[in-house]
Amino acid sequence: MTGFRLEAGPGTVEVRDASSVPPLARPWDVGEPGGFGWPVVQELSLKVRVCTQAAGKTVTAIVPCPSAGEMQQSRD
């Protein structure tokens, strides 16, 4: 993997890499590594955007971001 960058902020995660190949869901195979990341991103995100360029791609995910009070309530 080359040219990988991850940025996160309140409710947003953005990943950039040097591959212009868009992420694809593939059948999960216990004998092969990987294959589960893209479905997890889609399941946990409210919205996902993939932008491809010749120099790579950027995947931006909007994720639910509870407030500190909501997180404390869920622990109680």
Side-chain angles (χ1 to χ4, degrees):
M1 182 182 316
T2 61
F4 176 82
R5 181 178 176 147
L6 175 111
E7 294 182 28
T12 304
V13 177
E14 186 172 275
V15 177
R16 297 177 192 154
D17 66 32
S19 171
S20 60
V21 177
L24 297 171
R26 61 181 175 157
W28 189 68
D29 181 350
V30 72
E32 293 289 324
F36 56 88
W38 184 237
V40 170
V41 169
Q42 291 178 309
E43 183 67 27
L44 295 177
S45 302
L46 298 173
K47 183 177 181 179
V48 180
R49 182 179 68 223
V50 179
C51 297
T52 57
Q53 308 89 22
K57 68 178 166 293
T58 302
V59 178
T60 305
I62 306 301
V63 293
C65 188
S67 69
E70 291 171 324
M71 290 185 68
Q72 183 61 41
Q73 288 176 355
S74 68
R75 292 181 192 149
D76 296 338

